[in-house]
Structure formats: C-alpha cells, structure tokens
Amino acid sequence: MDPKELPSILRDDKISVETNKLISSLLSRTDSQGQKLCKYQGCWYYYNTLQGVLNFQSGFQPQDTDIILASYPKSGTTWLKALTVALLERSKNHSYSSDDEHPLLYDNPHGIVPCLEMDVYHESSSPNLAKFSAPRRKFSTHMPLHAMEETLKHSPCKIVGILESLFESFCNGTIYYGPFWEHLLSYWRASLEEPKHVLFMRYEELKAEPRHQIKRLAEFFGCPFTKQEEESGVVDKILDLCSLRNLSSLEVNKTGSRNDVDHKDYFRKGEVGDSKNYLTPEMEYKIDMIIQEKLQGSGLKF
C-alpha cells in the first residue's frame, strides 16, 4: 500500500528532526501490517503518534476544569465521549428531538471531544485551543497515565479511564499503545490514589448498568442529576440519544471521516462477549491467564 493511503497515525511523515533522532535510540518493532512501532516510556507508538505525544508533553497547559477521557483503543471510547457531551450539555435544556441543536446531532463524538495526541497536538506543541474554552474543555487520549503524569501533576482536572490486532502482538505487549495491562493499571492505581480526580469505568458495567453508571459519571463531573431531571426522564433521553443504535443512524455518522477513518467505522456491535466470534477458546484462555497474571495483587479484576 502507498504510505500516503495509510491513516495518518500509521505514517511517519510528521516527525521532527529531534523526534527522528529520539526514535533512532528507542526499541523498535514492525507490526503485522508492516508499520513501524517504537517503545517510548514503556508504551508502543507509531511514529506520527509519538510526535503528538511529545508535542502534548511539552506544550499542554492543563486547566482545573479540564475533562480527559482516557481509554484503550476499541474499548468504548465513542460511547463514552457521547455520554460526556450529553451530560455537560444538560444545562442548555435540549429537547432531544430531531430539530434540536444538540451537538451530537451535527458532529461525530470524536469531532466534539478530540484526541490530544492524534488531533490536537499531532502537528504542533502550541495549537490554538480557544475553541475548546467553553464551558469546560473536553479531550480524549489513548496514552497511559504515566505519559501524562508530569504534564498534569499540578492540575486537579478530571480523568475518566475506560483488541484489535494480531493475537500474539497483544499477548507479548508489542501492540499500539500496549502493553494493554500496563495501560489499565496506570489508571486503576491512580483512581485508588486520587478518586476525586480519576474515575475508573469498565465497559461491561456501563453496558449492564447504564443508568447507575451515567449517574456516577455525572456526579464525578460535578453535575449530578436533579430530582426534577430524573422525574422528567432526562437520564433515559440521554441514554437513548447516546445509544450506538441511535448514533450510528444519524446522518453525520454515516458520512464524513476523521483521521482517515470513516465516521461509520467508529460504530461496531458494542456487545460484551463478542470476542467469542473471533477468538478460539484456546486464545481466550491464554489472554485470560496473561491478564490474570499481570493484574495479580492490584485489586483489579474482570
């Protein structure tokens, strides 16, 4: 495939001379698609993504009211972004009808809540953040927490932490943003140490108890549902608006693209346990054993 046809995050055409020098000193691998990965601060990145990480680390100035949605790729990011937008838009008294001016009806969730290293800082360490100023800045990231720790250490901003590659790459940790277990543990430990600033959510719990989990998320953001909102059905309206069924049916999510990925491709089944349709019992067992070993003693269980 022509490198120019690859998604921008897989390419190496936006790296600086300094980053290129850094990469030459890092451990590197080639993934199953033939694309180059390098290991920086314990995490594997494609070269263009690493440039975004470095730009973020050197240029991001956190604000106390910032919300950062941190997730491993393909773990419910789109849904979490939509829920966050809907929760923070409640003060505008949306009707949730088709003629409403709700931002989710006119833009993809990834357009409203951009990824720090892929969208905001992918080309510069000093992007214009003015358009994210009101009422609260909302960003996402796939970086493990230790990649942001130095940058965020003086800010009490809110962080919400929530497999798609070849099996062996996942198991040995040499996968994009991997190792998977280190990513999880970084946010899990932070949620125990600073529960007011880091909320750890499991996709399975969000699917099983959506009403309870969305209330938990609202309380964490400092905007709990009022009794009047609950009685008028606002919780259910938000869940309906943000359901994958509804979001995938919106025209804005049937067309357009972001980071060379079609909007429609952000919406998959979203079913817990769907891995059984792709992994053999032996593969599932191996993953379970690896995760059990890596999480042992942490208190985190799945």
Side-chain angles (χ1 to χ4, degrees):
M1 178 184 289
D2 186 331
K4 294 182 180 179
E5 296 179 6
L6 291 169
S8 58
I9 60 169
L10 300 181
R11 300 199 296 260
D12 58 1
D13 57 350
K14 295 184 182 297
I15 57 176
S16 67
V17 174
E18 293 79 8
T19 299
N20 198 37
K21 184 177 180 180
L22 170 64
I23 289 172
S24 68
S25 69
L26 300 176
L27 185 63
S28 61
R29 291 284 188 275
T30 300
D31 72 4
S32 58
Q33 303 173 72
Q35 305 309 315
K36 294 173 286 188
L37 289 164
C38 59
K39 193 174 187 179
Y40 174 69
Q41 295 183 339
C43 186
W44 291 92
Y45 300 105
Y46 291 117
Y47 291 6
N48 274 3
T49 307
L50 175 60
Q51 183 66 66
V53 171
L54 295 171
N55 288 343
F56 161 81
Q57 290 179 333
S58 65
F60 185 66
Q61 298 294 320
Q63 296 180 3
D64 293 355
T65 55
D66 284 348
I67 291 175
I68 299 175
L69 306 179
S71 64
Y72 197 76
K74 305 293 184 182
S75 64
T77 309
T78 304
W79 192 22
L80 184 59
K81 287 186 177 186
L83 288 171
T84 298
V85 172
L87 285 172
L88 298 178
E89 281 283 317
R90 278 160 41 222
S91 61
K92 298 181 182 179
N93 298 314
H94 289 286
S95 65
Y96 301 99
S97 61
S98 58
D99 59 349
D100 194 0
E101 295 185 357
H102 200 291
L104 286 172
L105 299 178
Y106 298 96
D107 199 355
N108 180 271
H110 294 275
I112 306 172
V113 186
C115 179
L116 286 165
E117 67 271 24
M118 292 184 192
D119 300 318
V120 184
Y121 286 90
H122 65 297
E123 292 186 343
S124 170
S125 60
S126 55
N128 182 2
L129 301 181
K131 61 181 178 180
F132 305 115
S133 60
R136 298 174 70 173
R137 302 194 307 183
K138 302 178 289 293
F139 304 108
S140 73
T141 184
H142 296 310
M143 289 182 279
L145 185 57
H146 62 256
M148 302 192 293
E149 228 159 14
E150 187 66 23
T151 306
L152 301 181
K153 67 179 182 180
H154 297 303
S155 172
C157 64
K158 300 288 189 179
I159 301 176
V160 183
I162 301 262
L163 258 223
E164 226 170 39
S165 187
L166 284 183
F167 176 69
E168 290 302 329
S169 295
F170 178 83
C171 291
N172 62 34
T174 56
I175 190 174
Y176 190 35
Y177 284 109
F180 172 71
W181 44 87
E182 292 296 339
H183 192 283
L184 290 183
L185 286 171
S186 68
Y187 289 101
W188 170 251
R189 289 166 178 155
S191 72
L192 298 178
E193 295 169 2
E194 298 186 76
K196 292 183 179 180
H197 299 144
V198 181
L199 176 67
F200 191 92
M201 302 188 76
R202 296 173 175 84
Y203 183 79
E204 293 81 0
E205 292 175 344
L206 196 53
K207 286 286 289 185
E209 306 173 306
R211 288 179 60 83
H212 172 70
Q213 295 300 328
I214 193 177
K215 290 179 183 179
R216 182 177 169 229
L217 191 59
E219 290 175 1
F220 180 71
F221 288 153
C223 55
F225 288 99
T226 64
K227 183 178 180 181
Q228 182 180 357
E229 283 181 313
E230 292 201 41
E231 291 178 346
S232 62
V234 171
V235 177
D236 290 326
K237 289 177 182 177
I238 288 177
L239 288 173
D240 287 341
L241 172 68
C242 297
S243 70
L244 297 182
R245 171 193 51 78
N246 180 65
L247 290 173
S248 62
S249 70
L250 298 175
E251 190 61 32
V252 68
N253 294 323
K254 292 180 179 180
T255 59
S257 64
R258 188 168 193 81
N259 291 326
D260 304 308
V261 177
D262 291 341
H263 285 168
K264 61 183 176 59
D265 292 334
Y266 285 113
F267 302 92
R268 304 187 303 162
K269 290 182 180 179
E271 295 178 358
V272 174
D274 192 45
S275 61
K276 295 183 182 298
N277 294 319
Y278 302 93
L279 302 178
T280 65
E282 292 77 18
M283 294 167 76
E284 286 193 310
Y285 177 78
K286 182 174 181 179
I287 289 177
D288 287 343
M289 290 301 98
I290 290 173
I291 297 300
Q292 183 176 317
E293 176 191 350
K294 299 298 184 181
L295 302 187
Q296 187 174 9
S298 68
L300 176 58
K301 296 180 180 180
F302 287 92

